[in-house]
Amino acid sequence: MNKTELIEKIAAGSELSKADAKKALDATVAAIKDALVAGDKISLVGFGTFSVNERPAREGINPATKEKIQIAAKKVAKFKAGAELNDALN
């Protein structure tokens, strides 16, 4: 499912226009992004939890030259599915 299809599903399920559904989805995604950038954790009961993980710096190998390289530390977004979502999938 792509963004357009998701907007159509939101519009059909909430009786909103597609334009309003797009605004709602964009606002939701922006709010989640802003919270993660601020280092917050977002818990949606029954759906899952979004959080930020920090990956430490590490040494890697360039596969083309077999030369050792240093990989910088970085932050990554993480999603852990909730129990209800896991149950729905199985």
Side-chain angles (χ1 to χ4, degrees), residues 17-30:
S17 68
K18 286 184 185 177
D20 288 340
K22 181 182 183 314
K23 287 179 190 175
L25 177 61
D26 289 342
T28 302
V29 170

Side-chain angles (χ1 to χ4, degrees), residues 6 15 17 19 21 25-27 29 31 35-37 39 45 47 57 62 64 66-67 71 84 87 90:
L6 180 58
E15 298 179 5
S17 68
L25 177 61
D26 289 342
V29 170
L36 290 175
V37 168
V45 176
F47 183 68
N62 181 337
K66 307 295 184 209
E67 185 178 326
I71 300 170
E84 286 181 36
D87 291 345
N90 293 318

Side-chain angles (χ1 to χ4, degrees), residues 44-49 79-90:
L44 302 173
V45 176
F47 183 68
T49 303
F79 176 74
K80 183 173 191 264
E84 286 181 36
L85 180 57
N86 279 332
D87 291 345
L89 297 174
N90 293 318

Side-chain angles (χ1 to χ4, degrees), residues 56-70:
R58 63 189 194 277
E59 195 173 87
I61 297 175
N62 181 337
T65 63
K66 307 295 184 209
E67 185 178 326
K68 289 187 178 188
I69 56 172
Q70 190 64 24

